[in-house]
Every structure is written in structure tokens, then in C-alpha cells.
Amino acid sequence: MFEKTKIARAIFLFLFLASIWELDTSFLYAEQYLSTTTIDALFRLFRFGPIMVTPALYYIAFSMADEVEEHLKPRWLRLLLNKVAVCLVFSWGLIVYFVGWTKQGIASLYLVQIGSYPPFLFPESGPWNWIFYSNIMLSFISLVITYTISLKITDPNKRNFLLVFSVSIAVGYIIGTMNLFQSSRLFPSAFAGLIFALMTFTAFTRMHTKIVKYMAYHDALTGLPNQRLFKSKLVDALEDAKRNGTNVAVLYMDLDRFKLINDTLGHNVGDMLLQHVAQRIKGNLNKQATASRQGGDEFTILLPDLSHEEIEMALQDLFTIFNKPFTLQDYQLYITPSIGISLYPNSGPDPDILIKNADTAMYRAKEKGKNTYQFFDETMEVEIRQKLNMENALRKALENEQFVLQYQPKVDVLTGRITGTEALIRWQHPALGFVPPSEFIPLAEETGLIIPIGKWVLSTACAQCKAWQVDEKLEMSVAVNLSMLQLRQENFIEMVEQVLMETGLDPQYLEIEITESSAMNNIELCIQRLIALKKLGVGISIDDFGTGYSSLAYLKQLPIDTLKIDRSFINDITNSEDDAAIVQAIIAMARILKLKVIAEGVETQEQLTLLEQYKCNAVQGYYLSRPLAAWDVVKRHRERMVTL
């Protein structure tokens, strides 16, 4: 609870000084073993413990003030408990201690005999003896302040511990003050030490038990219930629902784009954001609801015994708490949630299935555009199972050599010659047949499988291009599509170098294609990586140009050679004046920037004729050639000319 905090250090300092509290008086009973001069010196030396306990207690009060929420702190608390006041009290303690070394503080020690008890020495007060009583009064004032502050602490575990701690110190002090009186000097020390030790031990034992139990069932960062406690409460709620025939809703919440905040502002800011989100969620729920942190930026919420309309209202309230920004240090951050909901009994009979189905629905909410919610239905389970099967099959596809490459020719508009090809991956599944790239490429990117698949595509395409050059004497390039996930890999440039070295392909015959939207998504990294590729001698092409809202300022910084006009502009080029104007503008801009232009998706002679009039450099599309197997590319190239 207090691990590595200011209050923990303050309590440790106090306990250390308290542990030597009665060492000074213990020497007063050593008259038979030590000389009076020695006893006098040791007594004055070890007065440091009981005297400095007072400023240590004041320091505890100062540290406890940090545990009180700002709006609960009265003005007197801010005035009395500050660093300057703490320094003054510690300085006062040192003054009291040094006065104890003078005759004005303690004149001398004299022998006392009470009844049949062994004799002991007792200090004779000097003229400045009042200073010791003042220190005791300051101790009791500190105790009152400590007790008052403990009542204002909202955390029940910390409050209860500090209350017991304050009371135990007060009892010890009251009994300890009896040492000031000669007639009661024999036994108070033992009683004070015993009672203080027992009460402190009891307080720490009870507090430790509570802390262990609390930590076992609560999240350390946010203080919310953890998975174990949430599931326990869900079990209880389901039993009540079965008995009463009511509903139970399980909400699974994920914070949209939280990783971006972590990556850009650091994990400390990310942790603070999670704490603030947890506070808002907790403050928004009724007493019957339970919110927990599952881990990372994921939260679960239990809503028992609510109608469907009430659940909808609770969801709207949850989204409302994210409308205001989160103020963290110097940042004002906006973040949105995606929420999936599963309902008992329709969405599952037990806690594990309900949580899993709510998680499934949450991912559907993200697919719908984030910042929304989605109720679970059975079709999601079927889709998830199909997706899982597809992922498992995709993992085996590379090992079992189920991928093949086809090559779509790029044709020079003026000469009709094939100047290069674009390598396109195809998945030949043994049971499903050819699986379209649109079905497995997004999944490969989501699972990270695009990294090994992308390396295989690059290596295979480069090896094939080199084979065409060596075996068929064909001088043409090959283009390979690149995922942004590949570009982010630290060793990406080294991997490209290694592939070129292993295949023996001259870098000038390799062209890397990256979509405009991917390039704009992380422009600084993209520029850095593409410059490194350019230094290798590799060609760079921007694919799907015109769809990514790129800035011309950034476009000028990218070391590109070619723009590929997206097929969406080519489709209606013969019917839409707007599309025709856009294509002409792109070609004119590229000419000014000294870039080549390739139009993709050419399907008709009319489209080809217009592109020739616009002076487009090259074209690509089914009208000219479908993607071909490697040997068909050779056959097509041997024809030397494509009829335009």
C-alpha cells in the first residue's frame, strides 16, 4: 500500500527513532555497573530517540497530507503542513536535543530509592527544562493533526491503518510521559514499550492481511477489481439471474488508438490515462455494477438485472464520459472506446463464454469504425471460427508451399513493349482452391504473418527476374508490393540487401510499390526507409495514387520514381469529366516532378486511347494482360509487341 512512497519513509523513520526511545532511561538502572559520569553521557546521547520522535511524527502528518484529495484539504492543513514547517520542526528537535547536553537542560543525575526496588538514577531539571515539556506538547499537537488527517483519507485501507497507528502512538506517548515523574518511573517504560509494540504489530498485521487480499483481487495500476474478482462477481450475478429470471450484461471495452498514445507520449502518460479512465468509469456506474481492468487498455463491466433499454442508456452514459478531454501533465487527450456486449442467457451460460463473446463483439465494433458498441450475435461466432481456421491455414500455407506468384505485365504506351511486371501473390489452397488476396492479405497483416510472407514474395520475385535475365535474356524489372508493417521492421533494409545479394539481381531491376495511404500513415518513417532503399538503387513507386490525400509537400520529399494512378479514376475516365481531369492533372504534375506515370486497371480500348492522348508512360490492366505465370510472361514478351 505504501511501497516506496513518502509516507512509507516517514513511518520507517518514526519506527526507527521509536525503537531507541527507551534506551536513554535503560542506562539509569546501570548504577551498579557503570560510573555516574558514563551513565550521564549515555543518557544524554540516547535522548536523541525520544526527542526526534516529535519531528518524525510531524513528518508523518506532512506525508499523510499527500494522501488527501486536493478538494478535501482545508486551508489550515496547507498552512501547517509544508516543507518549510517540517524543516523548522526538525530544527527545533535538534535544538531540544542539544539543550539536553547542557546543565541548563539537565543539571545532573541523582540516585533514587523507592521501597524495596533497586535504586536508579533520575535527571534533575535545569532552568531550561520547560523546553522538553514544549517538545512533548508539540508531539501531542502532531498526534492530533495526524488523527485529523487520517479521517480525511478516502482510501479505506490506508485510513484504517493510519487511524490505528495514530491511536497506538497516542497510548504510548501518554504512558511514556509518566517517565517524567519520579514516583512512577519504575514501570511506565516497560508498559509504554509493550503497549506500543503490541498495537503497532496488530495494526501492521491487520493491514498486511488487507493489503495482500486487496492486491490479490485488484489491479495495481487503476485500483479496479481484476479478472479474478470480476469473474467471482459475475458468477454471483449469474446465480441471482438464474434464480430470479433476470438478465446480466457483460461489457468488454477497449480504448481506440491507445497504443499511439503509449508510443508517442510514453508509458507513464499511458498509465495515467488508464487511471483517469478507470476513475471516470467507476464514477459513472451504479452500486450494483462492477468495472474491472482485464489488462492493457481493456476493461470489463458487469451490469446485473437491467432491461435492454436500461443497458442502452448505460452505454450512452459510458460514451458520454469520453466526450471531455483527459488532462494529463501538459497534454489534453481525447480517446474513444469500442464496446462489445454479451447478454445472459442469450449470449452464453457461464462467465468464460460471456466474456469471450463480449470480446468478440468488441472487435466487431472496431471493424465498424471504432467509437461505437456492438451486441454479440451467433453470426459473429461463425465468422470468428472461420477467421481462426483461415489464420491456421495461412500459417501452414508458407510451410507447405501453397503460395504462388503471378506477374502482370506493364506495357509502354508508345512502343507496346513489356517493360516490367508486378508480382502478385496467389494462395492455392488444397481444399478451397485459389483464395483471393483480398481475403488473406488483411489477415496476414493483422497477425504479422505478412512479414515472412512478404520476404518470400520478395525473394521469389527477385529470383524469377534474375532467371528471366539469365535464361531468357529479358531485360525487364519486377515490382513487389510492400506492407507498412514490413517497412516498420528494423532490419527491413538489411533484409532487402540480403535478398538482392542471394538472388544476384541488380537493384535497378527491383521496384518497391507502397500505397499512398500507407506512406501518409507514418510519413517520417516512410521517408527514412525509402531514402535507404533508394541508396541501394531500388526503384520506388507510389501505388493507388489519388486515394490517400497526400500532401504535395510530402510528395516532394519522397524519393519516388513512379506514380501509379488508382483504378478508381481509370474506371470512369471515358464517362466522367472529373475523373478525366484528375488523371490529366496527375500526369501533368508527374511530368513537372520528372516522375513516370502508370495507369492501372485499364479494361477497354477507349481508356487506353485516352491515356495515350494524355501521354501516360505505361499502362497495366486486364485489357492488356491478366496476371500470368512466369513461363507465360516469357511467351508474351517474345511476341515483342502488344497490340495497342
Side-chain angles (χ1 to χ4, degrees):
M1 178 179 66
F2 295 128
E3 183 179 2
K4 295 182 180 179
T5 60
K6 183 164 64 177
I7 192 170
R9 292 191 291 269
I11 291 175
F12 176 81
L13 174 62
F14 177 86
L15 292 176
F16 170 74
L17 293 170
S19 68
I20 59 174
W21 187 356
E22 295 300 329
L23 279 178
D24 58 340
T25 55
S26 65
F27 289 110
L28 298 178
Y29 296 91
E31 187 265 340
Q32 294 180 349
Y33 308 101
L34 300 173
S35 66
T36 302
T37 303
T38 303
I39 292 174
D40 183 83
L42 292 173
F43 172 74
R44 295 175 190 270
L45 174 66
F46 284 98
R47 291 279 292 165
F48 184 81
I51 289 173
M52 295 307 291
V53 157
T54 297
L57 184 58
Y58 194 86
Y59 182 46
I60 289 179
F62 169 69
S63 304
M64 285 171 60
D66 287 348
E67 303 293 333
V68 179
E69 296 180 9
E70 284 298 322
H71 68 280
L72 296 177
K73 291 181 180 179
R75 186 178 180 184
W76 66 265
L77 187 63
R78 295 186 176 90
L79 292 175
L80 285 178
L81 299 177
N82 53 66
K83 291 181 179 179
V84 174
V86 171
C87 292
L88 289 175
V89 173
F90 269 95
S91 300
W92 165 260
L94 291 174
I95 291 172
V96 174
Y97 175 66
F98 287 121
V99 167
W101 279 94
T102 67
K103 297 294 183 181
Q104 285 76 18
I106 299 174
S108 63
L109 300 179
Y110 63 92
L111 193 64
V112 176
Q113 177 74 53
I114 300 178
S116 60
Y117 293 105
F120 60 92
L121 294 171
F122 197 80
E124 180 182 358
S125 300
W128 289 1
N129 193 45
W130 59 268
I131 200 169
F132 302 122
Y133 291 97
S134 300
N135 196 56
I136 293 173
M137 290 301 299
L138 182 58
S139 296
F140 281 105
I141 292 173
S142 300
L143 271 172
V144 172
I145 295 174
T146 302
Y147 181 80
T148 304
I149 295 173
S150 63
L151 294 175
K152 294 182 176 294
I153 295 176
T154 54
D155 187 318
N157 291 314
K158 293 180 180 179
R159 182 178 62 246
N160 294 339
F161 168 76
L162 292 171
L163 280 171
V164 174
F165 186 74
S166 301
V167 171
S168 66
I169 294 172
V171 172
Y173 258 91
I174 291 170
I175 298 176
T177 53
M178 296 174 66
N179 291 335
L180 299 174
F181 304 99
Q182 183 187 126
S183 60
S184 57
R185 186 66 191 84
L186 293 175
F187 305 106
S189 298
F191 282 124
L194 179 61
I195 292 176
F196 178 78
L198 287 176
M199 294 190 70
T200 305
F201 175 77
T202 302
F204 270 102
T205 302
R206 290 181 60 191
M207 198 65 240
H208 181 266
T209 302
K210 289 184 177 181
I211 292 171
V212 170
K213 185 177 180 180
Y214 183 86
M215 292 177 65
Y217 290 99
H218 289 80
D219 175 58
L221 178 64
T222 63
L224 292 177
N226 59 15
Q227 297 181 40
R228 181 186 298 179
L229 182 55
F230 180 82
K231 189 174 290 187
S232 174
K233 288 183 175 292
L234 180 53
V235 168
D236 294 340
L238 292 180
E239 290 179 356
D240 291 341
K242 289 176 186 177
R243 189 165 46 251
N244 302 322
T246 55
N247 291 328
V248 175
V250 175
L251 280 57
Y252 205 107
M253 176 191 295
D254 182 87
L255 302 181
D256 303 326
R257 298 175 66 80
F258 176 77
K259 185 177 184 300
L260 179 64
I261 293 174
N262 254 353
D263 292 344
T264 55
L265 302 181
H267 288 273
N268 288 338
V269 174
D271 287 348
M272 284 191 289
L273 177 59
L274 291 175
Q275 291 170 337
H276 281 68
V277 168
Q279 290 174 4
R280 288 194 188 181
I281 293 173
K282 189 175 180 181
N284 179 259
L285 300 177
N286 59 39
K287 293 182 179 180
Q288 287 72 37
T290 301
S292 80
R293 182 179 176 224
Q294 291 291 296
D297 60 334
E298 295 179 337
F299 299 85
T300 50
I301 299 172
L302 169 63
L303 300 177
D305 195 18
L306 295 180
S307 66
H308 196 279
E309 292 74 18
E310 289 172 326
I311 294 171
E312 292 273 4
M313 291 176 60
L315 285 166
Q316 295 302 328
D317 290 342
L318 272 174
F319 280 96
T320 301
I321 67 175
F322 289 92
N323 290 340
K324 295 181 180 180
F326 292 86
T327 303
L328 309 172
Q329 295 179 350
D330 297 329
Y331 306 104
Q332 278 202 329
L333 304 177
Y334 287 89
I335 197 162
T336 58
S338 293
I339 303 176
I341 309 101
S342 63
L343 298 175
Y344 171 84
N346 297 334
S347 302
D350 60 65
D352 290 331
I353 293 178
L354 287 169
I355 293 172
K356 177 180 73 67
N357 289 343
D359 187 20
T360 299
M362 181 270 292
Y363 278 103
R364 174 58 61 86
K366 283 189 172 293
E367 291 173 1
K368 289 175 64 177
K370 302 182 177 68
N371 193 25
T372 187
Y373 63 88
Q374 180 71 48
F375 284 90
F376 175 81
D377 62 59
E378 294 299 329
T379 60
M380 295 181 190
E381 184 69 22
V382 175
E383 292 175 5
I384 289 293
R385 192 176 293 111
Q386 291 175 344
K387 186 176 180 180
L388 183 61
N389 292 337
M390 179 72 76
E391 180 182 342
N392 291 334
L394 192 59
R395 292 183 182 278
K396 297 177 182 177
L398 195 58
E399 301 175 9
N400 298 336
E401 299 182 352
Q402 295 174 6
F403 292 122
V404 294
L405 288 186
Q406 293 183 338
Y407 303 87
Q408 187 170 37
K410 299 177 183 179
V411 180
D412 187 282
V413 172
L414 295 178
T415 65
R417 294 181 180 276
I418 297 175
T419 58
T421 63
E422 179 182 358
L424 302 170
I425 189 170
R426 299 291 184 263
W427 182 9
Q428 191 170 5
H429 192 278
L432 302 176
F434 274 101
V435 181
S438 59
E439 291 188 15
F440 70 85
I441 291 298
L443 182 60
E445 291 187 340
E446 181 182 337
T447 58
L449 290 171
I450 195 67
I451 303 300
I453 291 174
K455 183 178 180 181
W456 176 86
V457 171
L458 180 65
S459 181
T460 304
C462 289
Q464 183 60 64
C465 189
K466 182 64 176 179
W468 284 332
Q469 293 176 0
V470 174
D471 300 337
E472 307 296 337
K473 311 302 181 187
L474 301 182
E475 293 290 327
M476 61 181 180
S477 63
V478 65
V480 174
N481 290 283
L482 183 68
S483 163
M484 197 61 199
L485 195 60
Q486 294 173 268
L487 201 66
R488 290 195 187 105
Q489 298 299 302
E490 291 293 332
N491 64 339
F492 173 72
I493 302 300
E494 290 77 7
M495 185 270 289
V496 174
E497 282 186 293
Q498 182 183 1
V499 168
L500 290 171
M501 182 179 65
E502 290 175 352
T503 59
L505 182 67
D506 192 310
Q508 66 176 316
Y509 293 107
L510 173 63
E511 187 175 33
I512 295 294
E513 291 189 7
I514 182 170
T515 62
E516 182 186 12
S517 56
S518 294
M520 294 302 109
N521 188 40
N522 194 337
I523 187 65
E524 299 299 334
L525 176 65
C526 189
I527 291 173
Q528 178 185 346
R529 292 285 196 269
L530 294 186
I531 288 175
L533 284 174
K534 194 68 178 174
K535 289 180 179 179
L536 293 179
V538 175
I540 309 294
S541 175
I542 294 294
D543 199 7
D544 299 338
F545 187 76
T547 62
Y549 309 103
S550 60
S551 164
L552 294 180
Y554 282 128
L555 186 65
K556 187 174 66 174
Q557 296 180 50
L558 291 170
I560 57 178
D561 304 290
T562 306
L563 295 180
K564 293 189 71 174
I565 303 176
D566 185 68
R567 65 180 66 247
S568 62
F569 298 110
I570 305 301
N571 288 340
D572 292 329
I573 192 174
T574 56
N575 302 319
S576 170
E577 292 183 1
D578 291 340
D579 284 347
I582 291 173
V583 171
Q584 291 182 74
I586 292 174
I587 293 173
M589 179 190 66
R591 188 178 297 114
I592 293 172
L593 295 175
K594 298 180 181 180
L595 302 175
K596 296 178 183 178
V597 180
I598 298 177
E600 55 183 350
V602 177
E603 307 293 340
T604 67
Q605 177 62 48
E606 291 78 10
Q607 293 171 348
L608 183 59
T609 301
L610 277 179
L611 290 169
E612 186 176 3
Q613 292 174 9
Y614 299 158
K615 298 184 189 263
C616 184
N617 299 110
V619 289
Q620 183 181 348
Y622 275 30
Y623 178 71
L624 303 163
S625 175
R626 289 177 173 272
L628 305 171
W631 56 85
D632 287 330
V633 173
V634 175
K635 180 180 178 182
R636 181 63 60 89
H637 197 277
R638 282 175 178 167
E639 295 174 0
R640 301 294 298 170
M641 189 79 71
V642 175
T643 303
L644 299 180

